Amino acid sequence: EADIYQTPRYLVIGTGKKITLECSQTMGHDKMYWYQQDPGMELHLIHYSYGVNSTEKGDLSSESTVSRIRTEHFPLTLESARPSHTSQYLCASSDIGTRQYFGPGTRLTVT
Amino acid sequence: RKEVEQDPGPFNVPEGATVAFNCTYSNSASQSFFWYRQDCRKEPKLLMSVYSSGNEDGRFTAQLNRASQYISLLIRDSKLSDSATYLCVVNGVGGFKTIFGAGTRLFVKA
């Protein structure tokens, strides 16, 4: 249904490693988002972008960073992973004022 | 106070029951409204948009009351497969801010 992809789907990595979570969409949407969600808990917006070279921090403070060099690509980077970063990370995209389409998510475990 | 508030749940209902979820929003300038469904460990997916005139999709009916800043979702003849978390979503003016509610969990039992 939705043309939005995330890789990897699952990642187990040791403390201190640098990781990049990939998100791509082929719908030409200007807006893209990253959410963090722990099991059974609510979604928290950590980053969003209105278009190329535009990035903003969301409502929940995060040690991650994002970039938007191309419309279709919105990667999230953690320079030094910690166990507190263990969570599910969901990417979404939308046109302005319309519904958001979500990717399948990346489940990250930092040991 | 949160910008979008939902019934905390969980709702535990038998198959065939009718269940209603409520959601209130604080920004009177909000422009578009949605209900999403999220299954355990999956991504949220759009269930239906919510229009001022109210709208229905099979067993699901959504209502919007702009004066009271209130959105509802009614599920009739509940199925086991309806068990999920239901998220109320509100878009701000120009769609530049999207707020997700915390979600209401529904368990439908045989």
Side-chain angles (χ1 to χ4, degrees):
Chain A
E1 172 192 271
D3 296 323
I4 180 164
Y5 310 98
Q6 290 186 243
T7 57
R9 293 290 310 278
Y10 303 92
L11 179 62
V12 180
I13 201 161
T15 297
K17 301 290 187 184
K18 177 180 178 179
I19 59 172
T20 296
L21 308 184
E22 302 288 349
C23 176
S24 295
Q25 51 96 4
T26 58
M27 296 174 282
H29 289 161
D30 284 326
K31 292 192 73 178
M32 295 189 75
Y33 317 79
W34 276 104
Y35 293 88
Q36 185 174 341
Q37 186 178 35
D38 293 325
M41 304 299 284
E42 63 188 285
L43 284 166
H44 291 287
L45 180 67
I46 52 175
H47 297 284
Y48 61 98
S49 167
Y50 291 145
V52 171
N53 294 325
S54 153
T55 61
E56 302 285 345
K57 289 190 179 294
D59 302 320
L60 181 69
S61 175
S62 174
E63 293 165 344
S64 58
T65 59
V66 292
S67 62
R68 189 91 183 274
I69 298 171
R70 303 197 317 265
T71 298
E72 64 271 21
H73 195 212
F74 191 40
L76 180 146
T77 298
L78 276 165
E79 289 293 333
S80 179
R82 295 209 299 269
S84 60
H85 296 139
T86 294
S87 189
Q88 174 160 266
Y89 293 84
L90 289 156
C91 180
S93 72
S94 73
D95 281 328
I96 291 174
T98 64
R99 59 169 289 188
Q100 291 187 19
Y101 293 83
F102 282 83
T106 295
R107 194 169 300 280
L108 173 66
T109 301
V110 183
T111 61
Chain B
R1 183 189 169 198
K2 291 187 176 182
E3 292 182 73
V4 175
E5 297 209 58
Q6 297 187 236
D7 290 336
F11 285 57
N12 293 283
V13 303
E15 271 188 295
T18 296
V19 60
F21 302 138
N22 300 316
C23 172
T24 58
Y25 60 96
S26 60
N27 187 344
S28 59
S30 298
Q31 289 200 327
S32 52
F33 309 88
F34 309 91
W35 283 102
Y36 278 68
R37 170 196 169 123
Q38 186 175 24
D39 292 301
C40 188
R41 296 180 171 267
K42 298 285 190 181
E43 73 273 23
K45 293 187 177 180
L46 181 71
L47 179 64
M48 57 198 304
S49 301
V50 187
Y51 304 115
S52 296
S53 55
N55 49 299
E56 188 174 306
D57 182 2
R59 298 181 293 108
F60 299 85
T61 300
Q63 296 277 353
L64 167 64
N65 184 321
R66 284 188 182 272
S68 302
Q69 295 177 207
Y70 170 91
I71 304 160
S72 66
L73 176 68
L74 184 76
I75 305 176
R76 291 181 300 278
D77 188 24
S78 299
K79 311 291 185 191
L80 294 176
S81 58
D82 294 334
S83 297
T85 296
Y86 291 84
L87 304 169
C88 172
V89 182
V90 175
N91 269 348
V93 176
F96 283 104
K97 188 171 185 182
T98 301
I99 308 294
F100 281 78
T104 302
R105 192 168 294 184
L106 172 66
F107 295 100
V108 181
K109 299 183 185 302

